[in-house]
Amino acid sequence: GAGVSQTPSNKVTEKGKYVELRCDPISGHTALYWYRQSLGQGPEFLIYFQGTGAADDSGLPNDRFFAVRPEGSVSTLKIQRTERGDSAVYLCASSLTSNNEQFFGPGTRLTVL
Amino acid sequence: DQQVKQNSPSLSVQEGRISILNCDYTNSMFDYFLWYKKYPAEGPTFLISISSIKDKNEDGRFTVFLNKSAKHLSLHIVPSQPGDSAVYFCAANTGGYQKVTFGTGTKLQVIP
């Protein structure tokens, strides 16, 4: 079956703009995670959804970052007033439940000029 | 505060030999450890894991060893194959809850 998909694969934007990154998890997976991977670093946890609700958003760096999962499937990560430091690969993962292996998507490479 | 550390950014190994990737952690609350493999332009792929109640887990050519007293784990790949060339991330979490903390990765190159 289809894996986790993320769109767009690449996004270039200007400082101060608003961006939305989309994640389509594996069908039936109830848990969904967002990570950010900066150059030379490992993935860093941002937020975790169980169903429609954000169970843990402790990794979001500040209030410019927000994520939703309104129907418990697709999720959107929203970044307002982008800064150059937001440039990174944003990874999405899903798992059957929160106690199962996470499957990662290919990521969205965000570049803020 | 880097709770999971991979101090070797890169490693080169001859095909057929053993690859040993090391990882240290500082958070004694971690009770589940994972290794992920990542190819360029792809997301990380789960490779192997180990619970803190064990000290060894083996899956084919891959074996993970855990030394809780030293807060150290290692991944052994034997024999190494060119297709194993990738970045390997060590990761950990607590209590089955899958907020995973990753290390910075080790880039493995297996030379034919």
Side-chain angles (χ1 to χ4, degrees):
Chain A
V4 178
S5 62
Q6 293 185 245
T7 53
S9 54
N10 281 283
K11 176 70 177 178
V12 180
T13 191
E14 294 179 343
K15 180 176 179 294
K17 298 289 188 182
Y18 168 83
V19 297
E20 290 189 352
L21 311 179
R22 176 186 168 109
C23 172
D24 283 82
I26 293 172
S27 178
H29 280 195
T30 63
L32 185 145
Y33 309 80
W34 283 98
Y35 292 84
R36 176 170 72 174
Q37 185 176 11
S38 301
L39 194 62
Q41 301 296 314
E44 177 188 7
F45 171 83
L46 295 178
I47 186 170
Y48 148 65
F49 287 89
Q50 180 59 53
T52 60
D56 186 340
D57 65 357
S58 62
L60 295 177
N62 51 61
D63 61 6
R64 294 187 298 106
F65 288 75
F66 190 70
V68 295
R69 195 186 185 201
E71 297 178 357
S73 178
V74 171
S75 177
T76 304
L77 178 65
K78 308 180 180 193
I79 311 174
Q80 298 177 323
R81 304 183 305 279
T82 51
E83 299 178 358
R84 292 194 180 89
D86 299 335
S87 296
V89 175
Y90 288 81
L91 293 162
C92 176
S94 71
S95 60
L96 189 60
T97 72
S98 62
N99 288 323
N100 295 102
E101 173 193 342
Q102 295 182 29
F103 294 84
F104 282 82
T108 293
R109 181 176 295 278
L110 175 65
T111 303
V112 182
L113 301 176
Chain B
D1 176 28
Q2 192 72 30
Q3 298 186 59
V4 178
K5 301 176 184 179
Q6 295 177 257
N7 293 319
S8 298
S10 63
L11 175 68
S12 287
V13 171
Q14 207 71 32
E15 180 179 4
R17 298 289 184 99
I18 185 171
S19 296
I20 300 176
L21 295 92
N22 293 302
C23 176
D24 297 292
Y25 62 96
T26 58
N27 187 343
S28 57
M29 298 300 292
F30 287 144
D31 59 6
Y32 199 67
F33 303 89
L34 312 95
W35 285 93
Y36 284 84
K37 176 179 180 179
K38 186 182 184 301
Y39 293 116
E42 295 183 11
T45 302
F46 171 77
L47 190 59
I48 191 169
S49 63
I50 187 167
S51 164
S52 60
I53 63 172
K54 296 186 174 182
D55 55 18
K56 177 183 174 181
N57 188 26
E58 190 173 354
D59 183 2
R61 296 186 297 113
F62 303 91
T63 303
V64 56
F65 296 91
L66 175 62
N67 182 334
K68 287 191 296 293
S69 61
K71 292 191 176 68
H72 177 84
L73 63 156
S74 61
L75 174 68
H76 293 209
I77 306 172
V78 55
S80 301
Q81 299 174 353
D84 296 330
S85 297
V87 176
Y88 289 78
F89 289 101
C90 174
N93 64 8
T94 304
Y97 171 52
Q98 297 222 348
K99 174 182 174 179
V100 179
T101 301
F102 285 82
T104 53
T106 297
K107 185 175 183 178
L108 173 66
Q109 182 184 20
V110 180
I111 304 163

